[in-house]
Amino acid sequence: MLPYIVAFALTALLAYAAGRKAYEDASALKRCLLALCICAPVVLLAALRDYSIGTDVLVYGKSSFELACSCSFPMFHQLTADDYGIGYIALCWVVSNAFDSLPVFLGAVELFAFLPVVLACFKLNAKYAWVGISAFLLLFYGGTLNYLRQGMALGFVLLSVACLLKRERKSCLVLFVVAVCMHQTAILAIPMYLLCLYYLSAFSADRDLSKQGKILVNGIACIASVAVVAFGRNLVVFFSSAKDSYAAQVSRLGTGGVNIAVTAILLLFVLLLYMHAKSKSCRSSRVSECLVLLVVIGFLLRFLTVWQAQLERGALFYLACCALALPILAANLKDRDRAPFVFGSIAIPAVYFFVYYVYLGYSEICPFVINGLLF
């Protein structure tokens, strides 16, 4: 556990230092270099890990790397197109043939997963980006060591959402396409974009919905999420019939469940965001309201695990929007309420990391083991 604490602390400190002033005053090139420096500790940790850290490394990461090293790109694409997206295929082949090193490949995958998150947090609020980055590491970094392709898709989805909230729609579209090319589950994020577009158009400076209108929109979104959970079994059967690689999920139906401790921790975290977003000490922001709603939806969708444990990945894109919401909320709060909010925003995810990854052993990342082949 100590390597994770050190890497997370270094990343948070680098993000904090960059957010003071250096990032906002820097050119585009220097911003990218600063973001790369912020990513360095956790990317290095991902590269140095033993191949047993993260379930999917041995499931497909190692084998796809070895295959890419042994054939041309057209052949590699032909052999893997049915299983992987073109984005992952291209990245895997290029990195594998350029470096012929599995640790470098694993580091590159983590870089493509985490760098977009860093850029997204800084795009929305540079000063408090470190809060969102810290929460993301504690909640989702362990997962990105496991679900390699979806981790990259998650990063690009978050960056595309940040671009959309900044009204950079062309960049948003390009990044979403990249996310889908990394892992097709990024398509599940489409309702996120629709909600963001609705908030940006309906809650404009000169036109705002009534309080009743906001309740109606939020209520419909939450009811729709509950409906998805209720019909989760049917959805799994539908998707499995549409794509052969999902067929195995049908046989696993009924093997899931809801962990009370993990659910309670996440509920406390969601309530922290929601209560502060609605408090009088927080400056009203349609962007933060939209992001907090997405987090609430993600929490509700996480109950898909009642059908099958891996279905929690369906909630991943929504729940991870907390990394985007936290910097904005921290900036909008009054000074007297900011410190307790920031403390809770890091303390609760820290408890989650310990319970979910360390104690319960999800994603198989603890204890951390260094790759003995490197030394």
Side-chain angles (χ1 to χ4, degrees):
M1 184 176 174
L2 182 60
Y4 295 111
I5 295 175
V6 173
F8 292 176
L10 285 174
T11 302
L13 286 172
L14 289 169
Y16 176 84
R20 292 299 88 185
K21 198 171 183 181
Y23 190 89
E24 290 186 340
D25 296 340
S27 63
L29 177 60
K30 289 183 178 179
R31 287 184 176 187
C32 289
L33 292 175
L34 282 171
L36 288 172
C37 290
I38 293 169
C39 293
V42 293
V43 169
L44 183 62
L45 191 68
L48 292 177
R49 77 187 192 265
D50 185 76
Y51 304 147
S52 62
I53 302 298
T55 312
D56 284 358
V57 175
L58 294 178
V59 170
Y60 67 83
K62 188 172 183 289
S63 59
S64 61
F65 163 80
E66 292 172 346
L67 181 61
C69 289
S70 63
C71 60
S72 64
F73 180 75
M75 179 61 72
F76 182 59
H77 177 264
Q78 182 180 352
L79 293 173
T80 58
D82 291 339
D83 299 318
Y84 310 137
I86 185 62
Y88 177 79
I89 292 172
L91 175 67
C92 182
W93 189 87
V94 170
V95 175
S96 300
N97 284 272
F99 299 98
D100 192 20
S101 170
L102 183 53
V104 172
F105 171 64
L106 294 176
V109 169
E110 189 58 43
L111 179 64
F112 274 76
F114 187 56
L115 179 60
V117 179
V118 173
L119 294 174
C121 290
F122 273 93
K123 177 179 284 289
L124 293 179
N125 188 280
K127 186 175 182 180
Y128 295 102
W130 69 275
V131 182
I133 291 170
S134 300
F136 180 87
L137 287 174
L138 291 164
L139 293 170
F140 304 108
Y141 176 77
T144 63
L145 296 179
N146 175 20
Y147 36 77
L148 307 179
R149 293 176 293 146
Q150 194 174 12
M152 292 187 288
L154 173 62
F156 282 106
V157 164
L158 291 181
L159 182 55
S160 69
V161 169
C163 289
L164 179 58
L165 294 174
K166 287 292 185 179
R167 301 182 186 278
E168 301 170 7
R169 297 187 179 183
K170 290 182 180 179
S171 298
C172 169
L173 180 60
V174 171
L175 290 165
F176 175 68
V177 172
V178 173
V180 174
C181 289
M182 290 299 180
H183 199 276
Q184 58 196 1
T185 55
I187 294 174
L188 298 174
I190 289 177
M192 290 172 51
Y193 298 97
L194 299 178
L195 271 174
C196 289
L197 285 171
Y198 181 77
Y199 263 76
L200 290 176
S201 60
F203 303 154
S204 60
D206 55 350
R207 182 162 58 92
D208 199 355
L209 280 179
S210 64
K211 183 177 180 181
Q212 292 78 9
K214 292 181 182 180
I215 293 174
L216 178 63
V217 171
N218 294 353
I220 291 174
C222 292
I223 291 171
S225 303
V226 173
V228 169
V229 174
F231 293 98
R233 187 183 189 91
N234 304 77
L235 291 173
V236 172
V237 174
F238 171 77
F239 283 116
S240 66
S241 63
K243 187 171 174 61
D244 292 339
S245 60
Y246 290 153
Q249 300 300 332
V250 176
S251 62
R252 297 172 185 166
L253 283 172
T255 62
V258 177
N259 186 284
I260 301 300
V262 172
T263 302
I265 295 169
L266 285 176
L267 176 60
L268 186 62
F269 182 65
V270 172
L271 287 175
L272 175 76
L273 270 64
Y274 183 82
M275 297 304 293
H276 280 83
K278 296 296 183 181
S279 69
K280 293 181 179 180
S281 65
C282 185
R283 190 170 67 253
S284 177
S285 166
R286 61 185 181 277
V287 173
S288 62
E289 284 188 16
C290 178
L291 291 171
V292 171
L293 174 60
L294 292 176
V295 175
V296 172
I297 292 173
F299 174 76
L300 294 174
L301 289 177
R302 207 174 180 280
F303 283 93
L304 282 166
T305 57
V306 74
W307 299 111
Q308 207 267 348
Q310 288 190 342
L311 292 182
E312 68 173 341
R313 295 188 183 189
L316 191 63
F317 299 102
Y318 296 83
L319 202 55
C321 285
C322 65
L324 306 182
L326 286 170
I328 300 174
L329 290 174
N332 289 347
L333 282 168
K334 293 181 180 179
D335 292 341
R336 68 173 184 272
D337 296 318
R338 184 175 297 121
F341 173 75
V342 170
F343 175 78
S345 300
I346 297 175
I348 298 174
V351 174
Y352 175 89
F353 181 88
F354 177 80
V355 173
Y356 190 74
Y357 294 112
V358 180
Y359 181 72
L360 296 176
Y362 282 92
S363 294
E364 299 182 7
I365 68 165
C366 289
F368 183 81
V369 181
I370 293 179
N371 187 349
L373 299 177
L374 296 174
F375 305 99

